[in-house]
Amino acid sequence: MTGANRHYVLAAGGTGGHLLPAFALATELERRGHHVALITDARGAEIPGKPDFLPAHVIPAGRFGRNPLTWFKGLMAVLEGRRMALRLFDSFEPSAVVGFGGYPSLPTILAATSADVPTVVHEQNAVLGRVNRLFAGRVQAIATAYPEVERLDTKHAEKVHLVGNPVRAGVLSLREVPFPAFTEDGLLRVLVTGGSQGARVLSEIVPDGLSMLPPALRQRLQVTQQCRPEDLDAVRERYRNHGIPAELATYFEDMAARLADAHLFIGRAGASTIAELTAVGRPAILIPLPIATDDHQAANTRELTRSGGARMIRQERFSGKELAKQIKALAENPQGLAKAAHAAWNCGRPRAAQDLADLVESFGGADMMDVIRVGGNNARGASQGMAAGQGASREITK
């Protein structure tokens, strides 16, 4: 804990990928005795998991789509959001602002840079996001989750710090729990998710792919799958026809515990998913979302697949036959899954929240933490590298 209590403002878009690491950082900063406020949009204020101590200030977040006719409205929203953020700064007096990407980060960081408030941006993906890219030259530090980040210009290398992607405490607490024993005649527990509401392509392909496994594997399957509400009945019927026991739901309250029990994960490659898989050490078959901006989900798989901790299948090649082939390669040898789990575990950065908090604390009192700079001796000993050329919710008073 530091000797002085300070104030920090976190800004994050209204998705779990942006907000979950913000919640983890807020929890760590609050534990150290600091005061933290969150700026987000209306959707973000409703995301589950927000710490009770963390007030959420809702500001307008202008969106700039492909239609130029909407740009003026978006610009007006950004300027209004900037004014509201400055008003919060006047009363809250933050030592630093931390942006986690997403539209609400834009007016907040714009306000911070105009008010000379030190600013850090955190990039959860392996491709620098649009808002973080826009401000990369104006912020004091860029925290990354991966040793290689595309769209991050080498001229910013001196301000880049590899910290990892903070995960929920409930997931991080499972890091020292051993990988569940997988024997030649034991159950093969498979966890399938596709995001907050499941993914239809997984509902359509995974049951058939599992049915194509050799009988010795298929008869040992125990599946837990998250589905879209409208897909539940059809997926249940598929598993019933294949004779595969499966528990299906649109949402699982105890997802961390289910991840701990799983021998294999099948799903998308969002930043939070990758962070949790590597925190716990679970092998995976990943199907990146093909419409993800800048194809960032495919980039997110790079470190994990290189290590042997995961297999990646592009959605255009994702078929029952290909899925069965990849599962068979991992699971036919009882040691295959355990080795992949260990490789995934080695990619984890369990000190991400602490290292990011150390970096943020370096503004307003402490010295800069060179130990977590890319190429330094961080907690995981990550290799040096950066892709070259690349509380209650309330609205701020207007």
Side-chain angles (χ1 to χ4, degrees), residues 18 28 32 48 50 52 59 96 103 112 143 154 162 185 187 200 232 264 272 290 295 307 341 358 369 384:
H18 295 307
E28 177 64 20
R32 298 183 184 196
K50 184 177 71 66
D52 291 338
I59 67 171
Y103 289 108
T154 52
L162 174 62
D185 57 355
L187 289 174
R200 175 158 290 168
L232 272 174
L264 178 65
S272 293
D295 200 23
S307 75
D358 288 344
M369 292 290 295
Q384 181 176 356

Side-chain angles (χ1 to χ4, degrees), residues 239-276:
Y239 279 117
R240 185 182 297 115
N241 291 339
H242 294 315
I244 297 174
E247 181 182 1
L248 311 177
T250 58
Y251 180 75
F252 291 103
E253 292 279 353
D254 57 344
M255 187 60 78
R258 291 174 185 272
L259 181 60
D261 288 339
H263 295 109
L264 178 65
F265 172 88
I266 302 172
R268 295 300 195 190
S272 293
T273 295
I274 300 291
E276 293 189 352

Side-chain angles (χ1 to χ4, degrees), residues 304-325:
L304 191 51
T305 55
R306 284 178 181 172
S307 75
R311 309 281 180 108
M312 189 266 278
I313 306 174
R314 288 281 188 177
Q315 185 160 312
E316 60 266 24
R317 295 190 300 105
F318 185 48
S319 64
K321 183 177 180 180
E322 181 63 22
L323 178 62
K325 174 185 173 182

Side-chain angles (χ1 to χ4, degrees), residues 221-234:
L221 286 170
Q222 187 176 76
V223 180
T224 300
Q225 183 162 348
Q226 181 190 35
C227 306
R228 293 156 59 107
E230 60 269 31
D231 295 336
L232 272 174
D233 290 340

Side-chain angles (χ1 to χ4, degrees), residues 65-379:
R66 295 181 179 180
N67 184 359
L69 296 177
T70 66
W71 293 354
F72 180 77
K73 182 178 179 181
L75 177 60
M76 291 299 99
V78 168
L79 294 177
E80 176 64 9
R82 174 182 175 275
R83 188 183 73 81
M84 294 167 68
L86 285 170
R87 193 172 182 87
L88 173 63
F89 296 170
D90 284 342
S91 60
F92 196 65
E93 298 183 346
S95 295
V97 168
V98 187
F100 287 86
Y103 289 108
S105 287
L106 176 56
T108 307
I109 298 177
L110 198 61
T113 55
S114 66
D116 292 326
V117 177
T119 307
V120 178
V121 293
H122 179 269
E123 180 54 60
Q124 301 90 52
N125 293 298
V127 181
L128 198 65
R130 291 176 180 175
V131 173
N132 289 346
R133 204 181 308 159
L134 178 65
F135 289 103
R138 301 175 65 182
V139 301
Q140 280 64 51
I142 301 169
T144 66
Y146 298 94
E148 296 180 27
V149 179
E150 299 174 18
R151 308 296 292 271
L152 177 53
D153 199 301
T154 52
K155 67 184 179 182
H156 303 310
E158 286 302 310
K159 63 174 72 173
V160 174
H161 303 258
L162 174 62
V163 300
N165 195 11
V167 300
R168 296 170 292 171
V171 172
L172 192 59
S173 67
L174 301 171
R175 183 163 174 81
E176 302 307 323
V177 175
F179 182 68
F182 178 63
T183 61
E184 292 185 357
D185 57 355
L187 289 174
L188 172 58
R189 291 190 290 271
V190 179
L191 175 64
V192 187
T193 75
S196 60
Q197 292 298 322
R200 175 158 290 168
V201 68
L202 299 176
S203 296
E204 293 173 346
I205 291 177
V206 173
D208 294 343
L210 294 176
S211 75
M212 296 178 188
L213 289 171
L217 274 178
R218 188 176 67 245
Q219 294 168 6
R220 297 156 54 198
L221 286 170
Q222 187 176 76
V223 180
T224 300
Q225 183 162 348
Q226 181 190 35
C227 306
R228 293 156 59 107
E230 60 269 31
D231 295 336
L232 272 174
D233 290 340
V235 177
R236 187 173 288 114
E237 185 65 20
R238 278 192 174 98
Y239 279 117
R240 185 182 297 115
N241 291 339
H242 294 315
I244 297 174
E247 181 182 1
L248 311 177
T250 58
Y251 180 75
F252 291 103
E253 292 279 353
D254 57 344
M255 187 60 78
R258 291 174 185 272
L259 181 60
D261 288 339
H263 295 109
L264 178 65
F265 172 88
I266 302 172
R268 295 300 195 190
S272 293
T273 295
I274 300 291
E276 293 189 352
L277 288 171
T278 56
V280 180
R282 291 297 178 268
I285 295 176
L286 301 169
I287 304 90
L289 181 68
I291 61 172
T293 306
D294 297 320
D295 200 23
H296 68 256
Q297 286 205 3
N300 289 350
T301 70
R302 184 187 302 120
E303 183 182 29
L304 191 51
T305 55
R306 284 178 181 172
S307 75
R311 309 281 180 108
M312 189 266 278
I313 306 174
R314 288 281 188 177
Q315 185 160 312
E316 60 266 24
R317 295 190 300 105
F318 185 48
S319 64
K321 183 177 180 180
E322 181 63 22
L323 178 62
K325 174 185 173 182
Q326 297 297 339
I327 295 175
K328 181 181 176 185
L330 278 170
E332 275 205 322
N333 176 357
Q335 294 305 312
L337 284 172
K339 289 180 179 178
H342 185 66
W345 191 91
N346 279 333
C347 291
R349 296 184 173 89
R351 284 191 49 82
Q354 295 99 310
D355 285 347
L356 182 55
D358 288 344
L359 175 61
V360 171
E361 277 188 332
S362 69
F363 300 101
D367 293 328
M368 186 66 72
M369 292 290 295
D370 287 333
V371 68
I372 58 174
R373 189 178 297 278
V374 168
N377 296 319
N378 60 42

